[in-house]
Amino acid sequence: MDVSADIANQPVAAAPATAKRLEKLGIRRRFDLVLHLPLRYEDETHLYTIADAPYGQPVLVEGEVIASEVQFKPRRQLIVQIEDRTGTLILRFIHFYPSQQKQLARGRRVRALGEVKRGFHGDEIIHPKIREVVAGEPLADHLTPIYPTVNGLTQPVLRRMIAAEVKVQNLADTLPADLKQRLDLSDFGHAVRLLHSPTPEYSARDLTDPTLPAWQRLKFDELLAQQLSMRLAYRARRKGRAVPLVGTGELRKSLAELLPFALTGAQAKVLEEIDADLAKTHPMHRLLQGDVGSGKTIVAAMAALSAIEAGYQVALMAPTEILAEQHYLKLSGWLEPLGVKVVWLSGSLRKKQKAETIGEITDGSARLAVGTHALFQDDVAFARLGLAIVDEQHRFGVGQRLALKDKGGEAHQLMMSATPIPRTLAMSFYADLDVSVIDELPPGRTPIVTKLINAGRRDEVIAFVRRTVAEGRQVYWVCPLIEESEALELQTAVDTHAVLSEELAPIEVGLVHGRMKSAEKADVMGRFSDNWLQVLVATTVIEVGVDVPNASLMVIEHAERMGLAQLHQLRGRVGRGAAKSSCVLLFETPLSEIAKARLKVIYENTDGFEIARQDLLIRGPGEFLGARQSGLPMLRFANLEEDIALLEEAKAFAPEMLRQHPALAEAHLRRWLAGREHFLNA
């Protein structure tokens, strides 16, 4: 079967305005209409008498309008009363049009679909779906599908378009018969037709049950398409050519002698995995993940030394200037005593300094370049880039990471993340990567006590800050982004700094935020590191990379506004020394249900992998992944937590299908991912 050769991938024929609305729903080609499945179903196949209509579920009733008036107390609303032979029912419309008022004039016969509730003046349906009928008009012969839509695109229009495509499209199977039999999967065509146009024996509840065989088939197909595309991407990368980077080990040995600590068993294990990749003739594409404070940077430094000893350069890219600068200070402190020149490149450097740094990268005298996205600007050319390291990789789009890698042709690539990736995400959206996990913390890290405190008890928190400083420790006070406004975030931090400076005097309070010049930020962070400043008021620029072992208290304002990953990262800025450490989450009430769920998770858990799993459940994969794979289609039907068994089957079968049924594999991919060739051909 060749899906790409039939009408599946033709663009939808629609008026420009309709085409634009369809595109918002992800519908560009004709087969996208087939895969645009209902959210729910309305049952207009069964008519209840008014007296027998049950509460708490959508029902269809029919009656004659015996009263219709617009009332103005307590607010403007249309109140309609209908009756049948068994009783009367009120239909209440708080928002209505003159045409509805006319449609519901006295004497008209209507059918109303909605949920019956007990009202002050008797049973009622609020905002029912209504249709004028004649007595004895036949009922629908199947459930009515309700599709996801946007303003201006009505359900009847969508239904007509989808029904037409289901009728003419090729719905032949793309799965081998033996696989369908082994997994007890229904036919693709049968599953699609059933979900779009259900037969009478199915109830609305049956059809929204995720374990329904038709849904299981669609979910499996979607997961299989994802796994096939990931396997192809992985295979394509392994066909690339890269220079093996094998060092002598002398620089590593020298660095190990200078360090005041030894690598943990987990660090040594992942370094072995990285070394094995670097020694190969195809480019490494490995993700190094570990919880906050697990020691990813020293592993990256050791990997960098292998590339440098092999005669190549290394680039380390971080998403923010403050993180890039922290990496630069740490890495230059480790490597420059070994004779390795480390440079820092960011957009805020002065023109002369920037030109000098770029010159050192170009002529090869800079062996390790640390910086922000400035590293992949057009005017930056590496003499011999062998290894590209990307920290907090989920904050960069695919294009940005590839632009850095391409500075060195087929350079090896190591991505790092302190946001642990749940197992189901690693199996699906990260299946094209080799993954290494640092699953233990270095010795000496102290447990962090998390406290949830209402913002109304702010004075108690300030007193806690005073006691902490009196004990010789230091404090972070973080002001988060408010209402997605950088200006407001800055002002909040400035105001908080002013208030705390006054209330905590004579304690020295510093301020750091994203709009400060690099030199200013470096000066403030340096004074905080050296304990000239005891309290540091900051925006979330200190989320990652900042390491001050003497800081033992983290206060986070408006914690209810922040995501779990960010809260976990911020909390990880303390607990880096021997002192008992605390994280105070200040929150404002009332709390939304999502905010309550997040705060409960962060209060009850310190394990980053469990926090990430809960975060995935709360947010879903789309938000969790962010810009990790810009352009990668999110899962529409499968649920990574509920459908783990299907995901495992799809992951296991994908290599077999590519090997034994390549034509079917291609047809399957074209059916599910056509129009996204940039991803298919990764």
Side-chain angles (χ1 to χ4, degrees):
M1 173 195 168
D2 185 0
V3 173
S4 61
D6 60 21
I7 60 174
N9 297 315
Q10 293 176 0
V12 175
T18 301
K20 195 172 285 186
R21 293 182 181 113
L22 288 168
E23 193 163 341
K24 286 182 180 177
L25 295 169
I27 299 172
R28 297 174 185 84
R29 59 189 183 123
R30 291 175 63 176
F31 206 82
D32 290 334
L33 284 163
V34 174
L35 296 177
H36 193 68
L37 298 177
L39 275 175
R40 57 187 176 85
Y41 299 83
E42 289 179 345
D43 188 354
E44 296 184 59
T45 66
H46 179 77
L47 191 64
Y48 287 88
T49 63
I50 289 174
D52 292 335
Y55 298 108
Q57 67 183 61
V59 294
L60 182 69
V61 294
E62 181 181 320
E64 183 180 324
V65 177
I66 58 172
S68 179
E69 64 171 334
V70 177
Q71 294 183 359
F72 293 91
K73 289 184 179 181
R75 59 186 296 181
R76 183 175 180 270
Q77 53 190 322
L78 176 62
I79 305 296
V80 177
Q81 191 173 23
I82 63 171
E83 74 169 0
D84 67 5
R85 58 183 176 77
T86 67
T88 62
L89 181 69
I90 293 168
L91 310 180
R92 185 188 301 274
F93 300 86
I94 298 167
H95 306 288
F96 60 94
Y97 297 101
S99 58
Q100 285 176 295
Q101 196 174 349
K102 186 175 180 182
Q103 184 184 21
L104 292 164
R106 187 170 179 165
R108 299 286 177 92
R109 175 168 288 276
V110 295
R111 282 182 184 159
L113 179 68
E115 193 172 314
V116 179
K117 298 182 178 179
R118 292 183 175 89
F120 189 74
H121 297 291
D123 288 352
E124 65 179 15
I125 302 178
I126 300 173
H127 278 286
K129 176 186 172 185
I130 56 167
R131 185 165 66 88
E132 192 174 354
V133 294
V134 296
E137 186 169 318
L139 294 164
D141 59 1
H142 60 77
L143 297 176
T144 306
I146 304 298
Y147 293 99
T149 191
V150 293
N151 284 339
L153 188 59
T154 65
Q155 290 292 329
V157 168
L158 256 181
R159 283 188 203 114
R160 281 196 299 273
M161 295 180 77
I162 290 169
E165 290 303 330
V166 170
K167 193 174 290 183
V168 301
Q169 287 288 348
N170 180 358
L171 303 182
D173 241 291
T174 53
L175 297 187
D178 59 333
L179 175 71
K180 282 198 303 174
Q181 186 175 2
R182 190 171 83 215
L183 299 183
D184 195 23
L185 294 171
S186 63
D187 290 336
F188 178 78
H190 171 75
V192 166
R193 291 187 188 96
L194 175 65
L195 292 171
H196 284 302
S197 184
T199 48
E201 67 266 25
Y202 289 94
S203 69
R205 185 169 293 179
D206 292 337
L207 290 161
T208 52
D209 181 350
T211 64
L212 184 75
W215 279 117
Q216 291 287 295
R217 173 59 202 263
L218 270 293
K219 289 178 178 187
F220 179 81
D221 276 24
E222 180 180 43
L223 289 166
L224 179 61
Q226 185 199 54
Q227 291 299 312
L228 289 170
S229 58
M230 288 291 188
R231 292 301 305 174
L232 288 174
Y234 186 81
R235 183 189 289 179
R237 288 198 186 97
R238 293 182 75 86
K239 286 180 181 175
R241 304 295 296 173
V243 177
L245 302 178
V246 181
T248 63
E250 289 301 313
L251 286 176
R252 275 194 189 176
K253 184 180 176 184
S254 299
L255 176 58
E257 289 171 354
L258 291 175
L259 293 173
F261 55 85
L263 294 186
T264 64
Q267 287 171 319
K269 177 176 69 72
V270 300
L271 192 54
E272 283 179 12
E273 293 168 352
I274 292 167
D275 285 343
D277 278 359
L278 291 177
K280 291 173 182 172
T281 55
H282 58 257
M284 173 174 72
H285 203 73
R286 184 169 288 276
L287 173 66
L288 171 60
Q289 59 170 329
D291 213 338
V292 179
S294 59
K296 295 178 294 299
T297 308
I298 187 61
V299 171
M302 292 291 189
L305 288 177
S306 282
I308 291 165
E309 284 187 329
Y312 285 81
Q313 292 169 292
V314 178
L316 190 153
M317 182 170 69
T320 65
E321 278 203 11
I322 198 163
L323 177 54
E325 191 171 12
Q326 288 284 319
H327 277 313
Y328 167 70
L329 293 172
K330 185 170 282 188
L331 290 166
S332 58
W334 285 339
L335 304 189
E336 291 204 331
L338 309 178
V340 175
K341 186 168 184 59
V342 183
V343 297
W344 181 51
L345 185 64
S346 81
S348 66
L349 287 180
R350 294 186 177 179
K351 193 172 182 181
K352 183 181 177 184
Q353 192 180 2
K354 188 175 182 182
E356 287 176 1
T357 303
I358 291 174
E360 291 170 329
I361 293 171
T362 303
D363 67 24
S365 58
R367 310 308 303 280
L368 172 58
V370 181
T372 58
H373 59 278
L375 284 172
F376 59 78
Q377 299 304 310
D378 291 340
D379 56 350
V380 180
F382 285 81
R384 296 183 85 195
L385 181 63
L387 173 62
I389 302 171
V390 184
D391 195 18
E392 291 301 298
Q393 57 81 35
H394 61 283
R395 296 194 184 190
F396 291 102
V398 173
Q400 290 175 308
R401 293 200 313 279
L402 293 180
L404 175 59
K405 183 175 76 70
D406 290 344
K407 291 284 183 184
E410 285 291 345
H412 295 275
Q413 191 166 3
L414 177 65
M415 291 164 286
M416 301 196 296
S417 176
T419 302
I421 298 159
R423 175 172 167 261
T424 50
L425 270 188
M427 287 174 64
S428 52
F429 292 99
Y430 288 85
D432 59 325
L433 303 180
D434 294 305
V435 180
S436 292
V437 180
I438 302 177
D439 53 9
E440 67 176 303
L441 293 177
R445 293 297 303 262
T446 55
I448 303 166
V449 177
T450 303
K451 303 171 187 285
L452 289 174
I453 297 181
N454 191 298
R457 296 167 57 196
R458 189 185 181 91
D459 289 346
E460 296 175 37
V461 177
I462 290 174
F464 188 18
V465 170
R466 282 200 199 94
R467 291 197 302 274
T468 301
V469 173
E471 292 167 1
R473 302 297 169 189
Q474 290 167 273
V475 180
Y476 295 104
W477 191 295
V478 176
C479 304
L481 191 72
I482 296 175
E483 296 173 5
E484 300 302 315
S485 165
E486 188 179 337
L488 276 175
E489 176 187 28
L490 174 61
Q491 191 57 46
T492 303
V494 170
D495 291 348
T496 301
H497 174 253
V499 170
L500 289 178
S501 295
E502 184 177 336
E503 293 191 8
L504 292 171
I507 293 170
E508 291 290 332
V509 182
L511 171 66
V512 65
H513 55 74
R515 287 191 183 178
M516 292 168 69
K517 291 180 179 176
S518 295
E520 291 179 293
K521 280 188 285 191
D523 178 60
V524 173
M525 293 306 302
R527 286 192 292 139
F528 186 65
S529 294
D530 295 337
N531 206 3
W532 291 105
L533 297 172
Q534 286 75 52
V535 178
L536 181 64
V537 176
T539 56
T540 51
V541 293
I542 65 151
E543 181 184 334
V544 288
V546 179
D547 189 1
V548 180
N550 192 51
S552 64
L553 174 59
M554 167 68 69
V555 180
I556 304 173
E557 295 224 47
H558 289 289
E560 77 280 359
R561 297 176 184 263
M562 302 176 74
L564 277 171
Q566 197 171 45
L567 288 171
H568 184 55
Q569 288 278 4
L570 286 167
R571 180 170 62 182
R573 297 307 103 210
V574 295
R576 291 170 173 258
K580 179 182 175 184
S581 295
S582 302
C583 177
V584 172
L585 305 178
L586 281 172
F587 64 90
E588 299 275 357
T589 53
L591 291 172
S592 69
E593 289 306 311
I594 287 182
K596 284 180 187 175
R598 283 177 178 154
L599 292 179
K600 184 174 187 290
V601 169
I602 201 73
Y603 177 73
E604 292 178 348
N605 296 279
T606 56
D607 176 19
F609 284 91
E610 177 57 22
I611 290 169
R613 192 184 74 81
Q614 297 284 349
D615 199 12
L616 178 63
L617 290 174
I618 292 170
R619 288 198 288 166
E623 273 192 68
F624 190 99
L625 288 163
R628 189 256 152 177
Q629 297 207 27
S630 178
L632 174 64
M634 292 294 108
L635 294 171
R636 288 173 285 180
F637 311 128
N639 180 301
L640 289 181
E641 287 297 318
E642 294 174 0
D643 300 315
I644 183 68
L646 287 176
L647 174 58
E648 287 174 340
E649 292 283 3
K651 185 176 177 67
F653 181 69
E656 180 185 329
M657 189 170 183
L658 286 169
R659 191 170 56 252
Q660 296 183 7
H661 307 280
L664 285 178
E666 183 181 353
H668 192 83
L669 278 168
R670 294 294 165 193
R671 168 174 281 173
W672 282 88
L673 295 179
R676 300 180 177 92
E677 280 76 13
H678 65 286
F679 184 73
L680 288 179
N681 301 323

